[in-house]
Amino acid sequence: MSRFPDPERASSPVIGVLLLIGITFILAMLVLILCSGFRLPSAGQDDIFRIKTITYIPDTSGTGIRGLVTVSNTGSRDYRNRYLGVITYVNGARANCNIPTLNNELFCSLNHYGVWHLSGVGTWGNKDFPTSVWPGHSDIAIEYKKGIMRPGDRVTLEVIDTTTNRVISRDTFPHSATRDAGWFYNFFL
């Protein structure tokens, strides 16, 4: 009998079995957590501003339809409405409209088109006051002019931080029941 163990043999089958059981248990827990809808925080944009509903309003002559998009600030953070802009996409193409700010005082004086009205608590306030915010857990409404969108259209809103020109939120309506590739980034990256 040799005094030194054979280097080709495993030192302990018990350790190997325990490692396999532990790794299997950890992987099973990760799959369970991910399947239950848990989301890890991500550094990229998210649907902070989520489209709640789109209501279509026919004009009095019945020849045109305006879209009224209700958007919710789903987080608890307040955003200065002066520094938020919106880019609208209808069926994947950029819509012919411009929303350079969500502050009504500035909205009226800036070059905007394709939008009839902004309303909601998150659109009001003096442009120079830090209290002019879109508060967390509140809604605003964007009423587009006729011809921008129609019933059945797929509408995407990108909310832009105008100080950095970065997209801070993106949401598409109608919301799909299945997740797109974005779930992979939210869960694993």
Side-chain angles (χ1 to χ4, degrees), residues 59-96:
D59 61 10
T60 54
S61 66
T63 58
I65 297 176
R66 295 187 319 267
L68 179 68
V69 179
T70 305
V71 185
S72 181
N73 179 349
T74 62
S76 56
R77 179 177 171 197
D78 297 343
Y79 289 87
R80 293 273 312 266
N81 55 25
R82 173 185 186 151
Y83 303 116
L84 296 177
V86 177
I87 298 175
T88 307
Y89 297 90
V90 177
N91 296 325
R94 189 167 178 166
N96 186 23

Short mmCIF file of all heavy atoms in Angstrom, two decimals, residues 59-96:
data_model
loop_
_atom_site.label_atom_id
_atom_site.label_comp_id
_atom_site.label_asym_id
_atom_site.label_seq_id
_atom_site.Cartn_x
_atom_site.Cartn_y
_atom_site.Cartn_z
N ASP A 59 -64.18 62.93 -34.14
CA ASP A 59 -64.59 64.33 -34.15
C ASP A 59 -66.07 64.42 -34.51
O ASP A 59 -66.70 63.42 -34.86
CB ASP A 59 -63.71 65.16 -35.09
CG ASP A 59 -63.76 64.71 -36.53
OD1 ASP A 59 -64.61 63.87 -36.87
OD2 ASP A 59 -62.95 65.18 -37.33
N THR A 60 -66.62 65.61 -34.41
CA THR A 60 -68.06 65.78 -34.59
C THR A 60 -68.53 65.40 -35.99
O THR A 60 -69.64 64.94 -36.18
CB THR A 60 -68.48 67.23 -34.28
OG1 THR A 60 -67.68 68.11 -35.06
CG2 THR A 60 -68.30 67.53 -32.81
N SER A 61 -67.68 65.57 -36.98
CA SER A 61 -68.07 65.22 -38.34
C SER A 61 -67.92 63.73 -38.61
O SER A 61 -68.44 63.22 -39.60
CB SER A 61 -67.23 66.01 -39.34
OG SER A 61 -65.87 65.62 -39.26
N GLY A 62 -67.19 63.03 -37.74
CA GLY A 62 -67.00 61.60 -37.92
C GLY A 62 -65.93 61.25 -38.94
O GLY A 62 -65.78 60.09 -39.31
N THR A 63 -65.18 62.24 -39.41
CA THR A 63 -64.18 61.98 -40.43
C THR A 63 -62.78 61.74 -39.86
O THR A 63 -61.92 61.24 -40.55
CB THR A 63 -64.09 63.16 -41.41
OG1 THR A 63 -63.78 64.35 -40.67
CG2 THR A 63 -65.39 63.34 -42.17
N GLY A 64 -62.57 62.12 -38.62
CA GLY A 64 -61.25 61.96 -38.02
C GLY A 64 -61.33 61.42 -36.61
O GLY A 64 -62.36 61.53 -35.93
N ILE A 65 -60.25 60.81 -36.16
CA ILE A 65 -60.19 60.24 -34.83
C ILE A 65 -58.93 60.74 -34.15
O ILE A 65 -57.84 60.72 -34.73
CB ILE A 65 -60.16 58.69 -34.89
CG1 ILE A 65 -61.45 58.19 -35.50
CG2 ILE A 65 -59.93 58.10 -33.52
CD1 ILE A 65 -61.48 56.69 -35.70
N ARG A 66 -59.09 61.23 -32.92
CA ARG A 66 -57.95 61.63 -32.10
C ARG A 66 -57.68 60.53 -31.08
O ARG A 66 -58.60 59.91 -30.57
CB ARG A 66 -58.26 62.95 -31.37
CG ARG A 66 -58.45 64.12 -32.30
CD ARG A 66 -58.58 65.45 -31.56
NE ARG A 66 -59.37 65.41 -30.36
CZ ARG A 66 -60.68 65.68 -30.30
NH1 ARG A 66 -61.34 65.98 -31.40
NH2 ARG A 66 -61.30 65.66 -29.15
N GLY A 67 -56.42 60.35 -30.76
CA GLY A 67 -56.05 59.38 -29.74
C GLY A 67 -55.72 60.07 -28.44
O GLY A 67 -54.96 61.03 -28.41
N LEU A 68 -56.31 59.62 -27.34
CA LEU A 68 -56.04 60.14 -26.00
C LEU A 68 -55.27 59.05 -25.25
O LEU A 68 -55.83 58.01 -24.91
CB LEU A 68 -57.33 60.49 -25.27
CG LEU A 68 -57.17 61.01 -23.85
CD1 LEU A 68 -56.51 62.39 -23.86
CD2 LEU A 68 -58.51 61.07 -23.15
N VAL A 69 -53.99 59.30 -25.02
CA VAL A 69 -53.11 58.32 -24.39
C VAL A 69 -52.92 58.69 -22.93
O VAL A 69 -52.46 59.80 -22.63
CB VAL A 69 -51.74 58.26 -25.12
CG1 VAL A 69 -50.83 57.25 -24.46
CG2 VAL A 69 -51.94 57.93 -26.59
N THR A 70 -53.30 57.79 -22.04
CA THR A 70 -53.10 57.99 -20.60
C THR A 70 -51.84 57.25 -20.19
O THR A 70 -51.71 56.05 -20.44
CB THR A 70 -54.31 57.49 -19.80
OG1 THR A 70 -55.48 58.12 -20.29
CG2 THR A 70 -54.15 57.79 -18.32
N VAL A 71 -50.91 57.98 -19.57
CA VAL A 71 -49.61 57.43 -19.19
C VAL A 71 -49.45 57.57 -17.68
O VAL A 71 -49.77 58.61 -17.11
CB VAL A 71 -48.46 58.16 -19.91
CG1 VAL A 71 -47.12 57.50 -19.62
CG2 VAL A 71 -48.71 58.22 -21.41
N SER A 72 -48.94 56.53 -17.04
CA SER A 72 -48.77 56.53 -15.59
C SER A 72 -47.29 56.51 -15.21
O SER A 72 -46.50 55.78 -15.81
CB SER A 72 -49.47 55.30 -15.00
OG SER A 72 -49.34 55.27 -13.61
N ASN A 73 -46.94 57.32 -14.21
CA ASN A 73 -45.61 57.25 -13.61
C ASN A 73 -45.70 56.14 -12.57
O ASN A 73 -46.26 56.32 -11.49
CB ASN A 73 -45.25 58.60 -12.96
CG ASN A 73 -43.90 58.59 -12.29
OD1 ASN A 73 -43.27 57.56 -12.11
ND2 ASN A 73 -43.44 59.76 -11.88
N THR A 74 -45.18 54.97 -12.88
CA THR A 74 -45.35 53.79 -12.03
C THR A 74 -44.43 53.78 -10.83
O THR A 74 -44.64 53.00 -9.92
CB THR A 74 -45.12 52.51 -12.84
OG1 THR A 74 -43.78 52.50 -13.33
CG2 THR A 74 -46.10 52.40 -14.00
N GLY A 75 -43.42 54.62 -10.83
CA GLY A 75 -42.48 54.65 -9.72
C GLY A 75 -42.89 55.63 -8.65
O GLY A 75 -43.92 56.29 -8.73
N SER A 76 -42.05 55.75 -7.64
CA SER A 76 -42.33 56.70 -6.56
C SER A 76 -41.52 57.99 -6.73
O SER A 76 -41.71 58.93 -5.98
CB SER A 76 -42.00 56.06 -5.21
OG SER A 76 -40.67 55.62 -5.20
N ARG A 77 -40.66 58.03 -7.73
CA ARG A 77 -39.83 59.21 -7.96
C ARG A 77 -40.60 60.29 -8.71
O ARG A 77 -41.38 60.00 -9.62
CB ARG A 77 -38.60 58.80 -8.77
CG ARG A 77 -37.68 59.94 -9.08
CD ARG A 77 -36.44 59.49 -9.82
NE ARG A 77 -35.72 60.64 -10.28
CZ ARG A 77 -34.80 60.61 -11.22
NH1 ARG A 77 -34.48 59.47 -11.77
NH2 ARG A 77 -34.19 61.71 -11.59
N ASP A 78 -40.40 61.55 -8.32
CA ASP A 78 -40.96 62.69 -9.04
C ASP A 78 -39.97 63.13 -10.11
O ASP A 78 -38.78 63.17 -9.88
CB ASP A 78 -41.21 63.86 -8.08
CG ASP A 78 -42.23 63.53 -7.00
OD1 ASP A 78 -42.97 62.54 -7.16
OD2 ASP A 78 -42.27 64.27 -6.00
N TYR A 79 -40.48 63.48 -11.30
CA TYR A 79 -39.64 63.93 -12.41
C TYR A 79 -40.03 65.35 -12.78
O TYR A 79 -41.22 65.64 -12.93
CB TYR A 79 -39.81 63.02 -13.63
CG TYR A 79 -39.20 61.66 -13.45
CD1 TYR A 79 -39.92 60.63 -12.87
CD2 TYR A 79 -37.90 61.41 -13.87
CE1 TYR A 79 -39.36 59.38 -12.70
CE2 TYR A 79 -37.34 60.16 -13.70
CZ TYR A 79 -38.07 59.15 -13.11
OH TYR A 79 -37.51 57.92 -12.94
N ARG A 80 -39.05 66.22 -12.93
CA ARG A 80 -39.32 67.59 -13.37
C ARG A 80 -39.91 67.53 -14.78
O ARG A 80 -39.26 67.09 -15.72
CB ARG A 80 -38.04 68.43 -13.40
CG ARG A 80 -37.39 68.73 -12.08
CD ARG A 80 -37.91 69.97 -11.36
NE ARG A 80 -38.04 71.18 -12.12
CZ ARG A 80 -37.13 72.14 -12.19
NH1 ARG A 80 -35.98 72.02 -11.56
NH2 ARG A 80 -37.38 73.23 -12.90
N ASN A 81 -41.16 67.97 -14.91
CA ASN A 81 -41.85 67.86 -16.19
C ASN A 81 -41.23 68.74 -17.27
O ASN A 81 -41.36 68.47 -18.45
CB ASN A 81 -43.35 68.13 -16.05
CG ASN A 81 -43.68 69.46 -15.42
OD1 ASN A 81 -42.89 70.40 -15.47
ND2 ASN A 81 -44.85 69.53 -14.81
N ARG A 82 -40.52 69.76 -16.86
CA ARG A 82 -39.84 70.65 -17.81
C ARG A 82 -38.80 69.88 -18.64
O ARG A 82 -38.57 70.18 -19.80
CB ARG A 82 -39.17 71.78 -17.04
CG ARG A 82 -38.31 72.65 -17.89
CD ARG A 82 -37.56 73.69 -17.09
NE ARG A 82 -36.87 74.57 -18.01
CZ ARG A 82 -36.59 75.82 -17.76
NH1 ARG A 82 -36.95 76.36 -16.62
NH2 ARG A 82 -35.97 76.55 -18.65
N TYR A 83 -38.18 68.89 -18.04
CA TYR A 83 -37.07 68.18 -18.68
C TYR A 83 -37.47 66.82 -19.25
O TYR A 83 -36.62 65.98 -19.51
CB TYR A 83 -35.93 68.00 -17.68
CG TYR A 83 -35.44 69.32 -17.13
CD1 TYR A 83 -35.55 69.62 -15.79
CD2 TYR A 83 -34.90 70.29 -17.98
CE1 TYR A 83 -35.12 70.84 -15.29
CE2 TYR A 83 -34.46 71.51 -17.49
CZ TYR A 83 -34.57 71.78 -16.14
OH TYR A 83 -34.15 72.99 -15.66
N LEU A 84 -38.76 66.61 -19.47
CA LEU A 84 -39.23 65.38 -20.08
C LEU A 84 -39.83 65.68 -21.44
O LEU A 84 -40.66 66.58 -21.57
CB LEU A 84 -40.29 64.69 -19.20
CG LEU A 84 -39.84 64.20 -17.85
CD1 LEU A 84 -41.03 63.63 -17.08
CD2 LEU A 84 -38.75 63.15 -17.98
N GLY A 85 -39.40 64.95 -22.45
CA GLY A 85 -39.98 65.04 -23.78
C GLY A 85 -40.47 63.66 -24.18
O GLY A 85 -40.10 62.66 -23.56
N VAL A 86 -41.28 63.59 -25.22
CA VAL A 86 -41.85 62.31 -25.65
C VAL A 86 -41.67 62.15 -27.15
O VAL A 86 -41.94 63.07 -27.92
CB VAL A 86 -43.35 62.21 -25.29
CG1 VAL A 86 -43.95 60.91 -25.81
CG2 VAL A 86 -43.56 62.31 -23.78
N ILE A 87 -41.20 60.97 -27.55
CA ILE A 87 -41.17 60.58 -28.96
C ILE A 87 -42.21 59.49 -29.13
O ILE A 87 -42.24 58.53 -28.36
CB ILE A 87 -39.78 60.08 -29.38
CG1 ILE A 87 -38.74 61.20 -29.21
CG2 ILE A 87 -39.81 59.59 -30.83
CD1 ILE A 87 -37.32 60.74 -29.48
N THR A 88 -43.07 59.63 -30.13
CA THR A 88 -44.16 58.70 -30.36
C THR A 88 -43.91 57.90 -31.63
O THR A 88 -43.53 58.47 -32.66
CB THR A 88 -45.50 59.46 -30.49
OG1 THR A 88 -45.65 60.31 -29.35
CG2 THR A 88 -46.67 58.52 -30.61
N TYR A 89 -44.12 56.60 -31.54
CA TYR A 89 -44.04 55.71 -32.69
C TYR A 89 -45.39 55.03 -32.85
O TYR A 89 -45.99 54.57 -31.87
CB TYR A 89 -42.97 54.63 -32.49
CG TYR A 89 -41.57 55.20 -32.36
CD1 TYR A 89 -41.05 55.54 -31.12
CD2 TYR A 89 -40.78 55.39 -33.49
CE1 TYR A 89 -39.78 56.06 -30.99
CE2 TYR A 89 -39.50 55.91 -33.37
CZ TYR A 89 -39.01 56.24 -32.12
OH TYR A 89 -37.74 56.76 -32.00
N VAL A 90 -45.89 54.97 -34.09
CA VAL A 90 -47.13 54.28 -34.39
C VAL A 90 -46.81 53.18 -35.39
O VAL A 90 -46.28 53.44 -36.47
CB VAL A 90 -48.19 55.26 -34.94
CG1 VAL A 90 -49.46 54.50 -35.31
CG2 VAL A 90 -48.49 56.35 -33.93
N ASN A 91 -47.08 51.95 -35.00
CA ASN A 91 -46.78 50.76 -35.81
C ASN A 91 -45.31 50.73 -36.22
O ASN A 91 -44.96 50.37 -37.35
CB ASN A 91 -47.70 50.68 -37.03
CG ASN A 91 -49.15 50.53 -36.62
OD1 ASN A 91 -49.46 49.86 -35.64
ND2 ASN A 91 -50.04 51.14 -37.37
N GLY A 92 -44.43 51.12 -35.33
CA GLY A 92 -42.99 51.05 -35.56
C GLY A 92 -42.38 52.25 -36.26
O GLY A 92 -41.17 52.38 -36.31
N ALA A 93 -43.20 53.13 -36.82
CA ALA A 93 -42.69 54.32 -37.51
C ALA A 93 -42.88 55.55 -36.63
O ALA A 93 -43.89 55.67 -35.93
CB ALA A 93 -43.42 54.52 -38.83
N ARG A 94 -41.92 56.45 -36.67
CA ARG A 94 -42.02 57.67 -35.87
C ARG A 94 -43.21 58.51 -36.34
O ARG A 94 -43.35 58.78 -37.54
CB ARG A 94 -40.73 58.46 -35.96
CG ARG A 94 -40.69 59.61 -34.99
CD ARG A 94 -39.33 60.18 -34.85
NE ARG A 94 -39.37 61.31 -33.93
CZ ARG A 94 -38.31 61.85 -33.40
NH1 ARG A 94 -37.12 61.38 -33.70
NH2 ARG A 94 -38.42 62.86 -32.59
N ALA A 95 -44.05 58.90 -35.40
CA ALA A 95 -45.25 59.66 -35.74
C ALA A 95 -44.89 61.11 -36.04
O ALA A 95 -43.89 61.64 -35.56
CB ALA A 95 -46.24 59.60 -34.58
N ASN A 96 -45.74 61.76 -36.82
CA ASN A 96 -45.53 63.14 -37.19
C ASN A 96 -46.05 64.06 -36.08
O ASN A 96 -47.10 64.68 -36.19
CB ASN A 96 -46.24 63.45 -38.52
CG ASN A 96 -45.93 64.84 -39.01
OD1 ASN A 96 -44.92 65.43 -38.65
ND2 ASN A 96 -46.82 65.38 -39.84
#
